[in-house]
Amino acid sequence: MSNKFAVILAAGQGTRMKSQLYKVLHPVCGKPMVQHVVDEVTTLGLSEIVTIVGHGAEKVKDQLGQSVTYALQEEQLGTGHAVMQAATLLEGKEGTTLVLCGDTPLITKETMKALLELHEKEDAKVSILTARTTNPTGYGRIVRSEDGFVERIVEQKDATEEEQQIQEINTGTYCFDNIALFNALKKVTNENAQGEYYLPDVIEILQQAGENVVAYQTPIFEETLGVNDRVALAEAEKVMKQRINESWMKQGVTIIDPAATYIEKEVIIGQDTVLYPGTMIRGNSEIGSGCIIGPHSEILSSTIGDKTEVKQSVVRESHIGSGVAVGPFAHIRPESNIGNDVKVGNFVEIKKSNFGNGSKAPHLSYIGDAEIGDRVNLGCGSITVNYDGTNKHKTKVGDDAFVGCNSNLVAPVTVGKNAYIAAGSTVTDNVPDSALSIARSRQTNKEGYVQKIKEKKNNDK
Ligand code: UD1
Ligand code: MG
């Protein structure tokens, strides 16, 4: 097998995005565009992947890490100039070089493989991945001779009226004979509408030198979508979302309304889980089997066991066990660890707390910086008073404790195992195991008081 390399172009600013964020770092289904491209190409097992960085180089490097090598394009003088920057790493090496753009996040490894295979079979010097579309605006067009051979690629801004009618476009993905690529790049000039060194000009240079130029037209245009602005970004998101949703449906997940369900690329979901509309599952979340998620729930970088329900709720960077009922309208904030068979009901917020197996906070509670044992009942309106204005303090509630409604647990404080807290208490001192704590003023009933007041009023008239 000959050597195979890849060059990924990711140095452009992406002016048309009108953004502070560098174009290739814009996420599609939660993952930066360039990362999608790198992840797909990595599966091909090539000898080297070179990413061309420039605008936002450090940020792109932070994102991609050690998985690729880098070449810096200090000034963005065009896609041909960008590939030239890989010369120090690749020039003179025998082999095949796959060139990809960092702004085509939908391209799949299958299509890359098909292009590589055709390139080898045809013994070509360059194989271009093309696609047909009824709306080719913005793309380079494939100019073919009368007998159908590719002659050159013309950019939108350089195209004549007639050339603009061409519906076969350059997807920006190519396979080159590596030696021929770097030789031809030396001949590319910047005499065009944009004053840039275009990579597609290499095609005409090779064609005129009588080399074998091949085109592979993919039937799936959407896969080759180049994201240059936010309209295309939304388009890419839609296609990727559908792809992810269909993949999960094929693996046994029910999605009631795929158009209204958002699952990011790295998420894992178990069989027979049902996702209701308005659900977003993000980051590296892992959902077990037989769960019901949604309607209208957001789960970010969290793990959830089996047969758990999360309705109209937000869960972030936390773990929730199996057989748990969350919501409606609950908020599980980062670093929470919820056990099995728990109930977290409406208007309950849990933050950075452990919540033991079989425990319940059915309504209107704030539980922050707490250790809640097993089988604890937190009555409606139970609150951990965890913040003194400067520091956060811990609340501990032992197994089988029962906290009555509207209780304030003023931290730092410990409620012992099996203890009872009377409703309406403000607990400032530790409560021993199995004790009843009443921390409220006693009720006084003044018999006949109302009648007395009324009589007084009448007498004063
Ligand atoms: C490019 C192609 C066009 C093709 C389209 C497919 C050229 C001249 N045109 O156009 O034929 O139809 O892609 O999507 O190649 N980049 C650099 N350095 C530079 C310039 C660009 O690294 O100096 C990178 C960008 O970050 C981007 C990629 O190259 O990831 C493509 O550049 P972009 O400006 O998006 O080219 P298009 O106008 O889309
Ligand atoms: Mg582009």
Side-chain angles (χ1 to χ4, degrees), residues 9-12 16 23-24 52 73 75-79 82 101-104 138-140 153 155 170-172 174 196 198-200 224 226 228:
L9 309 184
R16 290 163 281 180
K23 176 164 78 172
V24 297
I52 312 296
Q73 184 191 25
E75 258 189 297
Q76 283 64 54
L77 302 179
T79 48
C101 292
D103 67 348
T104 52
Y139 290 95
I153 295 172
E155 290 304 300
N170 170 27
T171 66
Y174 328 73
E196 288 185 359
Y198 292 161
L199 176 61
T224 66
N228 294 323

PDB file of all heavy atoms in Angstrom, residues 9-12 16 23-24 52 73 75-79 82 101-104 138-140 153 155 170-172 174 196 198-200 224 226 228, ligand 1:
ATOM      1  N   LEU A   9      -7.721  22.034   5.361  1.00  0.00           N
ATOM      2  CA  LEU A   9      -7.561  23.493   5.309  1.00  0.00           C
ATOM      3  C   LEU A   9      -8.433  24.157   6.370  1.00  0.00           C
ATOM      4  O   LEU A   9      -9.655  24.030   6.337  1.00  0.00           O
ATOM      5  CB  LEU A   9      -7.947  24.019   3.930  1.00  0.00           C
ATOM      6  CG  LEU A   9      -7.282  23.319   2.745  1.00  0.00           C
ATOM      7  CD1 LEU A   9      -7.671  23.990   1.440  1.00  0.00           C
ATOM      8  CD2 LEU A   9      -5.766  23.315   2.902  1.00  0.00           C
ATOM      9  N   ALA A  10      -7.765  24.835   7.297  1.00  0.00           N
ATOM     10  CA  ALA A  10      -8.530  25.412   8.420  1.00  0.00           C
ATOM     11  C   ALA A  10      -7.943  26.735   8.873  1.00  0.00           C
ATOM     12  O   ALA A  10      -8.011  27.093  10.042  1.00  0.00           O
ATOM     13  CB  ALA A  10      -8.546  24.419   9.576  1.00  0.00           C
ATOM     14  N   ALA A  11      -7.351  27.486   7.923  1.00  0.00           N
ATOM     15  CA  ALA A  11      -6.664  28.721   8.325  1.00  0.00           C
ATOM     16  C   ALA A  11      -7.493  29.975   8.099  1.00  0.00           C
ATOM     17  O   ALA A  11      -7.142  31.049   8.579  1.00  0.00           O
ATOM     18  CB  ALA A  11      -5.338  28.839   7.584  1.00  0.00           C
ATOM     19  N   GLY A  12      -8.585  29.839   7.355  1.00  0.00           N
ATOM     20  CA  GLY A  12      -9.356  31.028   6.994  1.00  0.00           C
ATOM     21  C   GLY A  12     -10.088  31.628   8.187  1.00  0.00           C
ATOM     22  O   GLY A  12     -10.372  30.944   9.174  1.00  0.00           O
ATOM     23  N   ARG A  16     -17.453  35.627   6.051  1.00  0.00           N
ATOM     24  CA  ARG A  16     -18.895  35.609   5.792  1.00  0.00           C
ATOM     25  C   ARG A  16     -19.721  35.114   6.983  1.00  0.00           C
ATOM     26  O   ARG A  16     -20.927  35.269   7.014  1.00  0.00           O
ATOM     27  CB  ARG A  16     -19.177  34.755   4.532  1.00  0.00           C
ATOM     28  CG  ARG A  16     -18.693  35.402   3.255  1.00  0.00           C
ATOM     29  CD  ARG A  16     -18.598  34.421   2.090  1.00  0.00           C
ATOM     30  NE  ARG A  16     -17.384  33.589   2.154  1.00  0.00           N
ATOM     31  CZ  ARG A  16     -17.060  32.663   1.263  1.00  0.00           C
ATOM     32  NH1 ARG A  16     -17.854  32.424   0.237  1.00  0.00           N
ATOM     33  NH2 ARG A  16     -15.943  31.950   1.386  1.00  0.00           N
ATOM     34  N   LYS A  23     -14.195  30.382  11.805  1.00  0.00           N
ATOM     35  CA  LYS A  23     -15.228  29.606  11.103  1.00  0.00           C
ATOM     36  C   LYS A  23     -15.219  28.108  11.428  1.00  0.00           C
ATOM     37  O   LYS A  23     -16.251  27.551  11.782  1.00  0.00           O
ATOM     38  CB  LYS A  23     -15.106  29.801   9.592  1.00  0.00           C
ATOM     39  CG  LYS A  23     -16.092  28.931   8.824  1.00  0.00           C
ATOM     40  CD  LYS A  23     -16.278  29.349   7.400  1.00  0.00           C
ATOM     41  CE  LYS A  23     -15.156  28.921   6.504  1.00  0.00           C
ATOM     42  NZ  LYS A  23     -15.474  29.184   5.093  1.00  0.00           N
ATOM     43  N   VAL A  24     -14.044  27.477  11.286  1.00  0.00           N
ATOM     44  CA  VAL A  24     -14.029  26.014  11.412  1.00  0.00           C
ATOM     45  C   VAL A  24     -14.320  25.546  12.841  1.00  0.00           C
ATOM     46  O   VAL A  24     -14.485  24.353  13.087  1.00  0.00           O
ATOM     47  CB  VAL A  24     -12.698  25.406  10.912  1.00  0.00           C
ATOM     48  CG1 VAL A  24     -12.517  25.680   9.426  1.00  0.00           C
ATOM     49  CG2 VAL A  24     -11.514  25.917  11.725  1.00  0.00           C
ATOM     50  N   ILE A  52      -3.853  22.767   8.270  1.00  0.00           N
ATOM     51  CA  ILE A  52      -3.310  24.099   8.013  1.00  0.00           C
ATOM     52  C   ILE A  52      -4.048  25.086   8.909  1.00  0.00           C
ATOM     53  O   ILE A  52      -5.278  25.202   8.830  1.00  0.00           O
ATOM     54  CB  ILE A  52      -3.502  24.522   6.533  1.00  0.00           C
ATOM     55  CG1 ILE A  52      -3.053  23.414   5.576  1.00  0.00           C
ATOM     56  CG2 ILE A  52      -2.780  25.847   6.258  1.00  0.00           C
ATOM     57  CD1 ILE A  52      -1.587  23.059   5.624  1.00  0.00           C
ATOM     58  N   GLN A  73      -0.168  28.795   8.252  1.00  0.00           N
ATOM     59  CA  GLN A  73      -0.273  29.711   7.104  1.00  0.00           C
ATOM     60  C   GLN A  73      -0.425  31.109   7.707  1.00  0.00           C
ATOM     61  O   GLN A  73      -1.495  31.474   8.178  1.00  0.00           O
ATOM     62  CB  GLN A  73      -1.491  29.343   6.250  1.00  0.00           C
ATOM     63  CG  GLN A  73      -1.598  30.179   4.995  1.00  0.00           C
ATOM     64  CD  GLN A  73      -2.940  30.019   4.281  1.00  0.00           C
ATOM     65  OE1 GLN A  73      -3.947  29.669   4.902  1.00  0.00           O
ATOM     66  NE2 GLN A  73      -2.956  30.279   2.993  1.00  0.00           N
ATOM     67  N   GLU A  75      -0.288  34.175   6.438  1.00  0.00           N
ATOM     68  CA  GLU A  75      -1.206  35.068   5.726  1.00  0.00           C
ATOM     69  C   GLU A  75      -2.115  34.216   4.884  1.00  0.00           C
ATOM     70  O   GLU A  75      -1.646  33.274   4.231  1.00  0.00           O
ATOM     71  CB  GLU A  75      -0.398  35.960   4.784  1.00  0.00           C
ATOM     72  CG  GLU A  75      -0.183  37.361   5.278  1.00  0.00           C
ATOM     73  CD  GLU A  75       0.440  38.191   4.165  1.00  0.00           C
ATOM     74  OE1 GLU A  75       1.571  37.849   3.755  1.00  0.00           O
ATOM     75  OE2 GLU A  75      -0.213  39.139   3.703  1.00  0.00           O
ATOM     76  N   GLN A  76      -3.391  34.552   4.863  1.00  0.00           N
ATOM     77  CA  GLN A  76      -4.338  33.701   4.135  1.00  0.00           C
ATOM     78  C   GLN A  76      -4.433  34.162   2.690  1.00  0.00           C
ATOM     79  O   GLN A  76      -5.239  35.015   2.340  1.00  0.00           O
ATOM     80  CB  GLN A  76      -5.704  33.709   4.833  1.00  0.00           C
ATOM     81  CG  GLN A  76      -5.728  32.837   6.075  1.00  0.00           C
ATOM     82  CD  GLN A  76      -4.797  33.303   7.183  1.00  0.00           C
ATOM     83  OE1 GLN A  76      -4.859  34.449   7.601  1.00  0.00           O
ATOM     84  NE2 GLN A  76      -3.912  32.424   7.643  1.00  0.00           N
ATOM     85  N   LEU A  77      -3.565  33.565   1.866  1.00  0.00           N
ATOM     86  CA  LEU A  77      -3.472  34.013   0.467  1.00  0.00           C
ATOM     87  C   LEU A  77      -4.209  33.072  -0.481  1.00  0.00           C
ATOM     88  O   LEU A  77      -4.010  33.116  -1.684  1.00  0.00           O
ATOM     89  CB  LEU A  77      -1.996  34.135   0.051  1.00  0.00           C
ATOM     90  CG  LEU A  77      -1.154  35.087   0.915  1.00  0.00           C
ATOM     91  CD1 LEU A  77       0.301  35.113   0.443  1.00  0.00           C
ATOM     92  CD2 LEU A  77      -1.726  36.498   0.890  1.00  0.00           C
ATOM     93  N   GLY A  78      -5.033  32.187   0.060  1.00  0.00           N
ATOM     94  CA  GLY A  78      -5.824  31.302  -0.784  1.00  0.00           C
ATOM     95  C   GLY A  78      -5.608  29.836  -0.459  1.00  0.00           C
ATOM     96  O   GLY A  78      -4.659  29.475   0.248  1.00  0.00           O
ATOM     97  N   THR A  79      -6.493  29.002  -1.007  1.00  0.00           N
ATOM     98  CA  THR A  79      -6.456  27.573  -0.662  1.00  0.00           C
ATOM     99  C   THR A  79      -5.209  26.874  -1.222  1.00  0.00           C
ATOM    100  O   THR A  79      -4.676  25.953  -0.602  1.00  0.00           O
ATOM    101  CB  THR A  79      -7.731  26.864  -1.153  1.00  0.00           C
ATOM    102  OG1 THR A  79      -7.971  27.230  -2.521  1.00  0.00           O
ATOM    103  CG2 THR A  79      -8.945  27.251  -0.321  1.00  0.00           C
ATOM    104  N   ALA A  82      -2.461  27.760   0.994  1.00  0.00           N
ATOM    105  CA  ALA A  82      -2.626  27.005   2.247  1.00  0.00           C
ATOM    106  C   ALA A  82      -1.985  25.622   2.136  1.00  0.00           C
ATOM    107  O   ALA A  82      -1.215  25.207   3.020  1.00  0.00           O
ATOM    108  CB  ALA A  82      -4.108  26.885   2.590  1.00  0.00           C
ATOM    109  N   CYS A 101     -11.568  20.430   3.138  1.00  0.00           N
ATOM    110  CA  CYS A 101     -11.774  21.748   3.752  1.00  0.00           C
ATOM    111  C   CYS A 101     -12.356  21.574   5.150  1.00  0.00           C
ATOM    112  O   CYS A 101     -13.240  20.724   5.352  1.00  0.00           O
ATOM    113  CB  CYS A 101     -12.750  22.581   2.920  1.00  0.00           C
ATOM    114  SG  CYS A 101     -12.071  23.054   1.328  1.00  0.00           S
ATOM    115  N   GLY A 102     -11.898  22.392   6.061  1.00  0.00           N
ATOM    116  CA  GLY A 102     -12.400  22.331   7.434  1.00  0.00           C
ATOM    117  C   GLY A 102     -13.819  22.841   7.572  1.00  0.00           C
ATOM    118  O   GLY A 102     -14.411  22.763   8.654  1.00  0.00           O
ATOM    119  N   ASP A 103     -14.378  23.371   6.482  1.00  0.00           N
ATOM    120  CA  ASP A 103     -15.745  23.907   6.567  1.00  0.00           C
ATOM    121  C   ASP A 103     -16.762  23.029   5.842  1.00  0.00           C
ATOM    122  O   ASP A 103     -17.832  23.486   5.486  1.00  0.00           O
ATOM    123  CB  ASP A 103     -15.801  25.352   6.056  1.00  0.00           C
ATOM    124  CG  ASP A 103     -15.527  25.489   4.566  1.00  0.00           C
ATOM    125  OD1 ASP A 103     -15.073  24.505   3.950  1.00  0.00           O
ATOM    126  OD2 ASP A 103     -15.767  26.590   4.021  1.00  0.00           O
ATOM    127  N   THR A 104     -16.410  21.757   5.626  1.00  0.00           N
ATOM    128  CA  THR A 104     -17.379  20.807   5.047  1.00  0.00           C
ATOM    129  C   THR A 104     -17.634  19.676   6.058  1.00  0.00           C
ATOM    130  O   THR A 104     -17.131  18.561   5.906  1.00  0.00           O
ATOM    131  CB  THR A 104     -16.867  20.226   3.709  1.00  0.00           C
ATOM    132  OG1 THR A 104     -15.560  19.703   3.915  1.00  0.00           O
ATOM    133  CG2 THR A 104     -16.810  21.278   2.620  1.00  0.00           C
ATOM    134  N   GLY A 138     -21.895  30.335  -5.234  1.00  0.00           N
ATOM    135  CA  GLY A 138     -20.837  30.362  -4.229  1.00  0.00           C
ATOM    136  C   GLY A 138     -19.787  29.279  -4.420  1.00  0.00           C
ATOM    137  O   GLY A 138     -18.663  29.422  -3.941  1.00  0.00           O
ATOM    138  N   TYR A 139     -20.130  28.200  -5.080  1.00  0.00           N
ATOM    139  CA  TYR A 139     -19.170  27.104  -5.274  1.00  0.00           C
ATOM    140  C   TYR A 139     -18.361  27.304  -6.558  1.00  0.00           C
ATOM    141  O   TYR A 139     -18.811  27.986  -7.491  1.00  0.00           O
ATOM    142  CB  TYR A 139     -19.912  25.773  -5.399  1.00  0.00           C
ATOM    143  CG  TYR A 139     -20.536  25.301  -4.111  1.00  0.00           C
ATOM    144  CD1 TYR A 139     -21.865  25.583  -3.819  1.00  0.00           C
ATOM    145  CD2 TYR A 139     -19.799  24.567  -3.190  1.00  0.00           C
ATOM    146  CE1 TYR A 139     -22.451  25.146  -2.638  1.00  0.00           C
ATOM    147  CE2 TYR A 139     -20.376  24.122  -2.008  1.00  0.00           C
ATOM    148  CZ  TYR A 139     -21.692  24.419  -1.740  1.00  0.00           C
ATOM    149  OH  TYR A 139     -22.261  23.982  -0.573  1.00  0.00           O
ATOM    150  N   GLY A 140     -17.194  26.675  -6.611  1.00  0.00           N
ATOM    151  CA  GLY A 140     -16.454  26.588  -7.863  1.00  0.00           C
ATOM    152  C   GLY A 140     -17.207  25.632  -8.791  1.00  0.00           C
ATOM    153  O   GLY A 140     -17.790  24.646  -8.334  1.00  0.00           O
ATOM    154  N   ILE A 153     -11.546  24.181 -12.992  1.00  0.00           N
ATOM    155  CA  ILE A 153     -12.587  24.607 -12.054  1.00  0.00           C
ATOM    156  C   ILE A 153     -12.589  26.125 -12.081  1.00  0.00           C
ATOM    157  O   ILE A 153     -11.523  26.748 -12.016  1.00  0.00           O
ATOM    158  CB  ILE A 153     -12.290  24.099 -10.631  1.00  0.00           C
ATOM    159  CG1 ILE A 153     -12.345  22.556 -10.598  1.00  0.00           C
ATOM    160  CG2 ILE A 153     -13.279  24.693  -9.628  1.00  0.00           C
ATOM    161  CD1 ILE A 153     -11.883  21.934  -9.297  1.00  0.00           C
ATOM    162  N   GLU A 155     -14.038  29.572 -10.258  1.00  0.00           N
ATOM    163  CA  GLU A 155     -14.687  30.084  -9.045  1.00  0.00           C
ATOM    164  C   GLU A 155     -15.869  30.976  -9.412  1.00  0.00           C
ATOM    165  O   GLU A 155     -15.873  31.609 -10.469  1.00  0.00           O
ATOM    166  CB  GLU A 155     -13.679  30.880  -8.205  1.00  0.00           C
ATOM    167  CG  GLU A 155     -12.616  30.023  -7.561  1.00  0.00           C
ATOM    168  CD  GLU A 155     -13.192  28.909  -6.704  1.00  0.00           C
ATOM    169  OE1 GLU A 155     -13.923  29.204  -5.743  1.00  0.00           O
ATOM    170  OE2 GLU A 155     -12.918  27.724  -6.998  1.00  0.00           O
ATOM    171  N   ASN A 170     -17.514  22.037  -7.381  1.00  0.00           N
ATOM    172  CA  ASN A 170     -16.334  21.511  -6.702  1.00  0.00           C
ATOM    173  C   ASN A 170     -16.649  21.446  -5.207  1.00  0.00           C
ATOM    174  O   ASN A 170     -17.003  22.455  -4.605  1.00  0.00           O
ATOM    175  CB  ASN A 170     -15.153  22.456  -6.956  1.00  0.00           C
ATOM    176  CG  ASN A 170     -13.946  22.123  -6.099  1.00  0.00           C
ATOM    177  OD1 ASN A 170     -13.764  20.968  -5.708  1.00  0.00           O
ATOM    178  ND2 ASN A 170     -13.132  23.125  -5.810  1.00  0.00           N
ATOM    179  N   THR A 171     -16.541  20.269  -4.622  1.00  0.00           N
ATOM    180  CA  THR A 171     -16.881  20.130  -3.196  1.00  0.00           C
ATOM    181  C   THR A 171     -15.720  20.566  -2.304  1.00  0.00           C
ATOM    182  O   THR A 171     -15.875  20.678  -1.089  1.00  0.00           O
ATOM    183  CB  THR A 171     -17.211  18.671  -2.846  1.00  0.00           C
ATOM    184  OG1 THR A 171     -16.015  17.906  -3.006  1.00  0.00           O
ATOM    185  CG2 THR A 171     -18.312  18.117  -3.722  1.00  0.00           C
ATOM    186  N   GLY A 172     -14.537  20.790  -2.909  1.00  0.00           N
ATOM    187  CA  GLY A 172     -13.374  21.184  -2.111  1.00  0.00           C
ATOM    188  C   GLY A 172     -12.647  19.975  -1.525  1.00  0.00           C
ATOM    189  O   GLY A 172     -11.746  20.125  -0.697  1.00  0.00           O
ATOM    190  N   TYR A 174     -10.392  16.594  -2.600  1.00  0.00           N
ATOM    191  CA  TYR A 174      -9.646  16.056  -3.734  1.00  0.00           C
ATOM    192  C   TYR A 174      -8.660  14.989  -3.253  1.00  0.00           C
ATOM    193  O   TYR A 174      -8.243  14.993  -2.108  1.00  0.00           O
ATOM    194  CB  TYR A 174      -8.778  17.122  -4.421  1.00  0.00           C
ATOM    195  CG  TYR A 174      -9.311  18.534  -4.414  1.00  0.00           C
ATOM    196  CD1 TYR A 174      -9.304  19.308  -3.236  1.00  0.00           C
ATOM    197  CD2 TYR A 174      -9.763  19.124  -5.580  1.00  0.00           C
ATOM    198  CE1 TYR A 174      -9.755  20.623  -3.240  1.00  0.00           C
ATOM    199  CE2 TYR A 174     -10.220  20.446  -5.594  1.00  0.00           C
ATOM    200  CZ  TYR A 174     -10.211  21.184  -4.418  1.00  0.00           C
ATOM    201  OH  TYR A 174     -10.661  22.480  -4.420  1.00  0.00           O
ATOM    202  N   GLU A 196      -6.154  35.608  -5.159  1.00  0.00           N
ATOM    203  CA  GLU A 196      -5.717  34.508  -4.275  1.00  0.00           C
ATOM    204  C   GLU A 196      -5.067  33.383  -5.081  1.00  0.00           C
ATOM    205  O   GLU A 196      -5.317  33.230  -6.268  1.00  0.00           O
ATOM    206  CB  GLU A 196      -6.944  33.933  -3.544  1.00  0.00           C
ATOM    207  CG  GLU A 196      -7.502  34.849  -2.479  1.00  0.00           C
ATOM    208  CD  GLU A 196      -8.626  34.196  -1.689  1.00  0.00           C
ATOM    209  OE1 GLU A 196      -8.985  33.048  -1.987  1.00  0.00           O
ATOM    210  OE2 GLU A 196      -9.135  34.864  -0.769  1.00  0.00           O
ATOM    211  N   TYR A 198      -5.444  29.911  -5.856  1.00  0.00           N
ATOM    212  CA  TYR A 198      -6.526  28.919  -5.751  1.00  0.00           C
ATOM    213  C   TYR A 198      -5.972  27.496  -5.871  1.00  0.00           C
ATOM    214  O   TYR A 198      -5.282  27.188  -6.848  1.00  0.00           O
ATOM    215  CB  TYR A 198      -7.515  29.082  -6.911  1.00  0.00           C
ATOM    216  CG  TYR A 198      -8.367  30.324  -6.955  1.00  0.00           C
ATOM    217  CD1 TYR A 198      -8.968  30.699  -8.170  1.00  0.00           C
ATOM    218  CD2 TYR A 198      -8.626  31.103  -5.834  1.00  0.00           C
ATOM    219  CE1 TYR A 198      -9.781  31.820  -8.254  1.00  0.00           C
ATOM    220  CE2 TYR A 198      -9.439  32.231  -5.916  1.00  0.00           C
ATOM    221  CZ  TYR A 198     -10.012  32.584  -7.127  1.00  0.00           C
ATOM    222  OH  TYR A 198     -10.820  33.683  -7.218  1.00  0.00           O
ATOM    223  N   LEU A 199      -6.346  26.643  -4.977  1.00  0.00           N
ATOM    224  CA  LEU A 199      -6.004  25.225  -5.126  1.00  0.00           C
ATOM    225  C   LEU A 199      -6.638  24.615  -6.384  1.00  0.00           C
ATOM    226  O   LEU A 199      -5.991  23.838  -7.091  1.00  0.00           O
ATOM    227  CB  LEU A 199      -6.441  24.451  -3.853  1.00  0.00           C
ATOM    228  CG  LEU A 199      -6.240  22.943  -3.890  1.00  0.00           C
ATOM    229  CD1 LEU A 199      -4.765  22.571  -4.057  1.00  0.00           C
ATOM    230  CD2 LEU A 199      -6.794  22.296  -2.619  1.00  0.00           C
ATOM    231  N   PRO A 200      -7.900  24.952  -6.695  1.00  0.00           N
ATOM    232  CA  PRO A 200      -8.518  24.343  -7.883  1.00  0.00           C
ATOM    233  C   PRO A 200      -7.756  24.622  -9.180  1.00  0.00           C
ATOM    234  O   PRO A 200      -7.924  23.883 -10.151  1.00  0.00           O
ATOM    235  CB  PRO A 200      -9.910  24.990  -7.919  1.00  0.00           C
ATOM    236  CG  PRO A 200     -10.202  25.343  -6.497  1.00  0.00           C
ATOM    237  CD  PRO A 200      -8.880  25.759  -5.936  1.00  0.00           C
ATOM    238  N   THR A 224     -21.681  17.364   0.934  1.00  0.00           N
ATOM    239  CA  THR A 224     -20.525  18.165   0.540  1.00  0.00           C
ATOM    240  C   THR A 224     -20.734  19.652   0.836  1.00  0.00           C
ATOM    241  O   THR A 224     -19.933  20.480   0.435  1.00  0.00           O
ATOM    242  CB  THR A 224     -20.279  17.991  -0.966  1.00  0.00           C
ATOM    243  OG1 THR A 224     -21.390  18.563  -1.677  1.00  0.00           O
ATOM    244  CG2 THR A 224     -20.151  16.536  -1.344  1.00  0.00           C
ATOM    245  N   GLY A 226     -20.573  23.195   1.849  1.00  0.00           N
ATOM    246  CA  GLY A 226     -19.509  24.036   2.397  1.00  0.00           C
ATOM    247  C   GLY A 226     -20.151  25.144   3.211  1.00  0.00           C
ATOM    248  O   GLY A 226     -21.031  25.846   2.728  1.00  0.00           O
ATOM    249  N   ASN A 228     -20.124  28.544   4.629  1.00  0.00           N
ATOM    250  CA  ASN A 228     -19.449  29.847   4.567  1.00  0.00           C
ATOM    251  C   ASN A 228     -20.195  30.922   5.340  1.00  0.00           C
ATOM    252  O   ASN A 228     -19.632  31.946   5.684  1.00  0.00           O
ATOM    253  CB  ASN A 228     -19.291  30.291   3.113  1.00  0.00           C
ATOM    254  CG  ASN A 228     -18.350  29.371   2.352  1.00  0.00           C
ATOM    255  OD1 ASN A 228     -17.357  28.904   2.903  1.00  0.00           O
ATOM    256  ND2 ASN A 228     -18.666  29.101   1.105  1.00  0.00           N
TER     257      ASN A 228
HETATM  258  C1  UD1 B   1     -13.699  26.642  -1.926  1.00  0.00           C
HETATM  259  C2  UD1 B   1     -13.253  26.346  -3.370  1.00  0.00           C
HETATM  260  C3  UD1 B   1     -14.483  26.153  -4.241  1.00  0.00           C
HETATM  261  C4  UD1 B   1     -15.364  25.058  -3.635  1.00  0.00           C
HETATM  262  C5  UD1 B   1     -15.697  25.311  -2.161  1.00  0.00           C
HETATM  263  C6  UD1 B   1     -16.339  24.086  -1.561  1.00  0.00           C
HETATM  264  C7  UD1 B   1     -11.157  27.534  -3.720  1.00  0.00           C
HETATM  265  C8  UD1 B   1     -10.487  28.714  -4.321  1.00  0.00           C
HETATM  266  N1  UD1 B   1     -12.461  27.444  -3.856  1.00  0.00           N
HETATM  267  O1  UD1 B   1     -14.410  27.871  -1.956  1.00  0.00           O
HETATM  268  O2  UD1 B   1     -14.090  25.807  -5.564  1.00  0.00           O
HETATM  269  O3  UD1 B   1     -16.541  24.959  -4.423  1.00  0.00           O
HETATM  270  O4  UD1 B   1     -14.493  25.585  -1.418  1.00  0.00           O
HETATM  271  O5  UD1 B   1     -16.807  24.337  -0.285  1.00  0.00           O
HETATM  272  O6  UD1 B   1     -10.486  26.688  -3.188  1.00  0.00           O
HETATM  273  N2  UD1 B   1      -8.522  28.372   3.772  1.00  0.00           N
HETATM  274  C9  UD1 B   1      -7.245  28.403   4.262  1.00  0.00           C
HETATM  275  N3  UD1 B   1      -6.392  29.382   3.846  1.00  0.00           N
HETATM  276  C10 UD1 B   1      -6.740  30.305   2.928  1.00  0.00           C
HETATM  277  C11 UD1 B   1      -8.050  30.260   2.424  1.00  0.00           C
HETATM  278  C12 UD1 B   1      -8.920  29.282   2.848  1.00  0.00           C
HETATM  279  O7  UD1 B   1      -6.866  27.564   5.098  1.00  0.00           O
HETATM  280  O8  UD1 B   1      -5.896  31.138   2.601  1.00  0.00           O
HETATM  281  C13 UD1 B   1      -9.436  27.313   4.242  1.00  0.00           C
HETATM  282  C14 UD1 B   1     -10.665  27.863   4.930  1.00  0.00           C
HETATM  283  O9  UD1 B   1     -10.480  27.933   6.340  1.00  0.00           O
HETATM  284  C15 UD1 B   1     -11.744  26.838   4.578  1.00  0.00           C
HETATM  285  C16 UD1 B   1     -11.231  26.227   3.269  1.00  0.00           C
HETATM  286  O10 UD1 B   1      -9.884  26.589   3.124  1.00  0.00           O
HETATM  287  O11 UD1 B   1     -11.836  25.822   5.556  1.00  0.00           O
HETATM  288  C17 UD1 B   1     -12.031  26.740   2.064  1.00  0.00           C
HETATM  289  O12 UD1 B   1     -11.946  28.154   2.006  1.00  0.00           O
HETATM  290  P1  UD1 B   1     -13.225  29.036   1.725  1.00  0.00           P
HETATM  291  O13 UD1 B   1     -12.822  30.460   1.807  1.00  0.00           O
HETATM  292  O14 UD1 B   1     -14.368  28.575   2.494  1.00  0.00           O
HETATM  293  O15 UD1 B   1     -13.437  28.681   0.159  1.00  0.00           O
HETATM  294  P2  UD1 B   1     -14.805  28.707  -0.632  1.00  0.00           P
HETATM  295  O16 UD1 B   1     -15.095  30.097  -1.054  1.00  0.00           O
HETATM  296  O17 UD1 B   1     -15.843  27.997   0.117  1.00  0.00           O
END
